[in-house]
Amino acid sequence: MTMDWLSGYGLQLIFGAVTMLSVALVALVVGTVLGISLGTAKIYGAKPLRYSAEAYTAVVRGVPDLIVIYLIYFGGTVALTKITGQYVDINGFAAGVAALAFIFAAYAGDIFRGAIGQVPRGQTEAAHALGLSPRAAFFRIILPQAWRLALPGFGNLAIILIKQTSLISVIGLEELLRASSVISGATRQPFLVYSVAAILYLIITSIVSWGFRNAGIRSNRGFA
Amino acid sequence: MLDFSIMADAFPNLLKGAGMTGRLSILILLLGMMLAVPLAYARNAQSIWLHGPASIYILVIRGIPSLLQVFIVYYGLGQFSFVRNSALWPIFRDPFWCVIIALGLNSAAYTAEIIAGALRQVPKGLVEAAQALGLSWFQTQRKVTIPLAVRAALPAYENEVILTIKATSLASTITLLDLTGAARLEVSNTFAPYEVFLTAGAIYFCITTSLSWLLRRFEVRLSAGHRNEERRVKEFQPVLPGIPDH
């Protein structure tokens, strides 16, 4: 029993955790870029752009994550099959990352919007006075300061994202939860296996939350 | 591009699923609220024997995906023969009750955090004044603390209600035919994922958006005549501001 755990199942769980972390990391990067774009569109964008950004957020917030995941996974398969003319099986990893990134972006957009709005106006004016182009002013003056303000909300979203990766198990990607389901089928000890998975999730979310708290403290050095 | 006849055909079945989603949401929110109030008081208590366990419960529940919690209750508990042989087995065998127990326990943790935060926001002076007037602890809670806390907690609780409705979609993973489960069944019959999932998404969107609008109106009504208070209500942020936790 112990040997089984060490040789096979334990390793399978670790692989599941690694898959989960890679999904979360890629979705985090893609979602952050999308989120910053959404946030800036809501602040600086022309009316049509602003309204579409608002509509996007409202829709994603109003619909369960599972529906978004199914829509992208099954819908994507049908769309690609129609376009290419032959059956295409969409990669679960890609579909999962895309779905989680789209969901992440909807919430991150509002966090960045709030953070950018909190950077004092004088900063923008000073950048203009120094002759910086609007683009340079945004990327070199506004965004770096907004990051500090966005950090607490961003950290919460990152932890939620880690937990949301468990939803990808419904489309068959063998992340931590899917791996636990497979193992509990083999060992007939679902409670034990799922509890081990729960502890792994708890450890990972605690580490990430601790990391973000420290990053928050570090980034606030020198601010009253 | 979209086949509207498939959408129209799927609609009645999806609405039936939405009924299940509604039943699940109401029962989960009720169970969550029933557990959340004592948990919130325990969390704010002075004694470590009260706030220690409450804090650990909230920390653990919030650190684990809710889908895993559903699986632990539905698949996990059946591992033990004492559960299978107990009088409660008909409940733990039924996916309907398993979802309600798992998500109810989950919602309790988040709701407790919201209520505990709102209770802490009630100005100390008001409580002291109530005590100075000779009100007992229960009277102080009923006449001073709770009315103020309810107003402070509403915006965050509204968020929690919406998140719970969305979280009931997890029921579809353990064979329940809620709105998401009904949609999956329709897709496997028609293989028209766009049409069916878009329709299901639209129904979810209508439910969550109209409910959120209603709750916000209720919130404005409650804070009528409390301009200052209203601003505080807006500024009040739960531990995780305006963000999904499930």
Side-chain angles (χ1 to χ4, degrees), chain A residues 58 61-64 66 70-71 74-75 78 107 156-157 160 163 166-167 177 189-192 194 198 201-202 205, chain B residues 62-63 65 67-68 71-72 75-76 79-80 110 166 169-170 184 191 193-194 197 201 204-205 208 240 242-245:
Chain A
R61 278 188 189 229
V63 173
L66 270 186
Y70 284 139
L71 204 54
F74 293 116
V78 168
Y107 293 93
N156 285 336
L157 276 187
I160 293 160
K163 292 192 285 170
S166 64
L167 300 177
L177 185 57
Q189 288 181 308
F191 190 82
L192 180 71
Y194 286 132
Y201 273 111
L202 201 57
T205 49
Chain B
R62 300 215 307 188
L67 185 55
L68 180 55
F71 280 8
I72 288 178
Y75 296 117
Q79 180 187 330
F80 302 110
Y110 291 97
K166 288 167 57 174
S169 67
L170 299 180
R184 286 220 56 179
F191 206 68
Y194 266 124
F197 284 131
Y204 271 116
F205 182 74
T208 51
L240 305 177
I243 289 170
D245 284 311

Side-chain angles (χ1 to χ4, degrees), chain A residues 37-55 113:
Chain A
S37 320
L38 269 177
T40 43
K42 283 182 181 183
I43 293 187
Y44 303 111
K47 252 186 190 166
L49 192 63
R50 206 160 67 217
Y51 286 150
S52 359
E54 294 287 359
R113 192 229 324 243

Side-chain angles (χ1 to χ4, degrees), chain A residues 20-21 24 158-166 201 204-205 208:
Chain A
M20 161 187 112
L21 286 175
I159 289 161
I160 293 160
L161 176 65
I162 290 176
K163 292 192 285 170
Q164 277 170 335
T165 56
S166 64
Y201 273 111
I204 293 169
T205 49
V208 173

